[in-house]
Amino acid sequence: MGTVALGTTGTTAADVIAVARDNARIELTDDARASLAAAREIVDALAAKPDPVYGVSTGFGALASRHIGPDLRAQLQRNIVRSHAAGMGPRVEREVVRALMFLRLKTVCSGHTGVRPEVAQTMADVLNAGITPVVHEYGSLGCSGDLAPLSHCALTLMGEGDAEGPDGEVRPAGELLAAHGITPVQLREKEGLALLNGTDGMLGMLIMALADLENLYKSADVTAALTLEALLGTDKVLAPELHAIRPHPGQAASAANMLAVLAGSGLTGHHQDDAPRVQDAYSVRCAPQVAGAGRDTMAHARLVAERELAAAVDNPVVLPDGRVESNGNFHGAPVAYVLDFLAIAAADLGSIAERRTDRLLDKNRSHGLPPFLADDAGVDSGLMIAQYTQAALVSEMKRLAVPASADSIPSSAMQEDHVSMGWSAARKLRTAVDNLTRIVAIELYAATRAVELREGLTPAPATRAVIEAVRKAGVEGPGPDRFLAPDLAAADAFVRAGALVAAVEPVTGALA
């Protein structure tokens, strides 16, 4: 467990992953503390004046026209947290909540929110103690930030609501804070609003999806290469000069990965043997084009994520010249769009992987492999139903590819009349990434079995390394029918952990 230093200039994707998944500790830098204190002085000065300032001495949203006197402002900040903590449905995963809180703390530390240093420190203390607020699936429209999810987190800081302790047990938040020596915060002007008004949930899920997809796109290049090999296809279509004349960088990277995996194969190039074919099917021949387009989509999504990581998203914001200005930077459209783009690309990658698997199982298209890769076809069904499972996953991914960001439902008495639905886009992308992992795992399972059934031909060294590693991981090879679900689960765990890429790279070098 490492330590992440949080200053005034944002953070990195690696730091988000470290906090969300690896329980890294958070330390606030001296610059962050100084910036927090300076911004708070501005808010305190405005709060002392008679003129109404949104978020400081007014109501919120459609109720912003009401001026709130000093005697009610602490109650106002408590009330916005309590009323906005209105989520419903299943609990959101621990890693998502930790990313959500850390990214809100990142913006707080920018010095643009007006939150006191002690509130920021309490946020860090809660994360460092392993306390995770209970956040629910539904409640964010992705505009004015991820309001309900962030409100449930702020409620924990106040010692209210429920949270999960480091032991995994859900208890009243006040009890957990007390057990770890953390004093609940007493919110002052602007602080309740500042804790709720950000794109942090959707951004956190985007960052984690990008990390998972980086592994999956490399894994899919490996499984595509293994399928090409098992089908006795040609690797000539992967030549770098062919991809140089259509200069999409992702396409070139995928082709190079496949070519590296296939180096030294004794199976490729047999497409002109007993049943000559001029070209391989699109699902094999166009694998770099499809995976490459997804890689380029990821590159754009990373650019958006990097910009958001450097941003301070709040409304209103405290500016260095002393102004506190309203703005619309909390709108989630930039993040929502790329979340939807990634779901579309992931669905297409899953779709082409399923088509390759189906080709391996069909005796009329597999160029000599047994039907369904069965040991004794007819007595054994082989991998017939594994492909059904894969097809069901692909079908769901196509539904998940329908954009959430194209939808909008007005809220707050038409004050918030166009929203991003970015949280919904992020939630469905997480499901899509899970499904894609399973789809790639099933292609891996089928392709390794198919390669092993090509007796008398020597697979590439990288392929042999994959087969050896996957068998050691508990994924069994060819043979009579057996209970298949455990094998598929082991293949899924193998891909999910990055073990497929790790098995290949000692042979191929680092994949792109």
Side-chain angles (χ1 to χ4, degrees), residues 36 103-113 115 120 123 194-195:
L36 284 160
L103 287 166
R104 182 80 312 232
L105 178 57
K106 176 267 299 182
T107 284
V108 166
C109 287
S110 70
H112 289 292
T113 68
V115 169
M123 296 174 75
L195 295 177

Side-chain angles (χ1 to χ4, degrees), residues 18-29:
V19 171
R21 291 182 167 171
D22 301 328
N23 300 310
R25 292 185 59 80
I26 302 157
E27 292 182 357
L28 307 186
T29 66

Side-chain angles (χ1 to χ4, degrees), residues 332-358:
V335 185
Y337 292 164
V338 294
L339 289 162
D340 280 335
F341 293 166
L342 290 173
I344 291 168
D348 202 33
L349 186 63
S351 179
I352 197 171
E354 182 276 329
R355 287 293 80 206
R356 289 193 295 264
T357 303
D358 180 68

Side-chain angles (χ1 to χ4, degrees), residues 123-473:
M123 296 174 75
D125 291 343
V126 167
L127 285 165
N128 290 342
I131 298 171
T132 307
V134 171
V135 174
H136 298 281
E137 181 81 15
Y138 302 105
S140 174
L141 300 180
C143 199
S144 288
D146 291 318
L147 286 173
L150 282 164
S151 297
H152 283 276
C153 294
L155 201 65
T156 294
L157 300 178
M158 292 165 49
E160 300 181 18
D162 293 327
E164 179 186 298
D167 59 358
E169 182 182 348
V170 174
R171 297 166 55 190
E175 291 182 13
L176 282 169
L177 295 187
H180 288 84
I182 300 171
T183 302
V185 297
Q186 301 291 325
L187 298 176
R188 288 171 44 181
E189 290 93 344
K190 195 183 179 303
E191 291 180 334
L193 185 61
L195 295 177
L196 316 186
N197 219 334
T199 55
D200 308 292
M202 62 186 92
L203 176 58
M205 286 186 275
L206 171 61
I207 289 165
M208 288 186 285
L210 285 169
D212 295 337
L213 286 169
E214 182 174 358
N215 169 55
L216 284 174
Y217 271 84
K218 291 178 182 179
S219 298
D221 289 341
V222 175
T223 59
L226 266 59
T227 297
L228 183 153
E229 195 173 20
L231 292 172
L232 306 180
T234 176
D235 59 359
K236 290 183 178 180
V237 296
L238 305 173
E241 57 269 25
L242 295 176
H243 298 277
I245 61 176
R246 194 188 190 195
H248 293 289
Q251 176 180 322
S254 285
N257 284 347
M258 291 180 65
L259 201 58
V261 172
L262 292 169
S265 174
L267 279 75
T268 57
H270 289 272
H271 59 293
Q272 294 292 350
D273 290 352
D274 296 335
R277 58 191 189 276
V278 177
Q279 298 175 325
D280 291 315
Y282 282 11
S283 60
V284 176
R285 183 169 22 127
C286 300
Q289 284 77 10
V290 171
R295 285 169 168 271
D296 292 341
T297 301
M298 287 172 60
H300 172 60
R302 279 194 200 93
L303 178 61
V304 171
E306 287 166 3
R307 289 169 176 165
E308 286 287 300
L309 285 168
V313 178
D314 192 17
N315 180 49
V317 292
V318 181
L319 297 174
D321 61 8
R323 287 180 294 151
V324 176
E325 296 285 2
S326 293
N327 66 89
N329 285 341
F330 49 73
H331 199 288
V335 185
Y337 292 164
V338 294
L339 289 162
D340 280 335
F341 293 166
L342 290 173
I344 291 168
D348 202 33
L349 186 63
S351 179
I352 197 171
E354 182 276 329
R355 287 293 80 206
R356 289 193 295 264
T357 303
D358 180 68
R359 185 166 289 271
L360 288 169
L361 305 188
D362 183 354
K363 68 181 181 65
N364 296 311
R365 294 179 292 143
S366 65
H367 309 289
L369 291 168
F372 303 106
L373 306 181
D375 187 62
D376 184 4
V379 174
D380 295 313
S381 294
L383 306 191
M384 180 190 295
I385 308 304
Q387 184 268 328
Y388 281 36
T389 300
Q390 198 182 37
L393 290 162
V394 170
S395 181
E396 183 178 38
M397 289 195 67
K398 292 175 180 178
R399 295 190 294 274
L400 293 167
V402 176
S405 58
D407 189 23
S408 176
I409 297 179
S411 57
S412 192
M414 293 298 287
Q415 175 73 5
E416 299 169 10
D417 59 351
H418 183 82
V419 297
S420 78
M421 296 296 180
W423 174 273
S424 299
R427 297 305 294 164
K428 69 184 182 65
L429 177 59
R430 283 181 68 82
T431 303
V433 170
D434 270 349
N435 284 357
L436 181 59
T437 308
R438 298 180 182 109
I439 290 164
V440 172
I442 291 172
E443 183 181 14
L444 171 67
Y445 188 59
T448 52
R449 178 183 283 209
V451 168
E452 288 183 291
L453 291 171
R454 293 292 189 188
E455 296 180 359
L457 296 172
T458 304
T463 302
R464 296 199 297 273
V466 168
I467 293 172
E468 180 181 357
V470 81
R471 298 293 172 252
K472 285 182 179 178

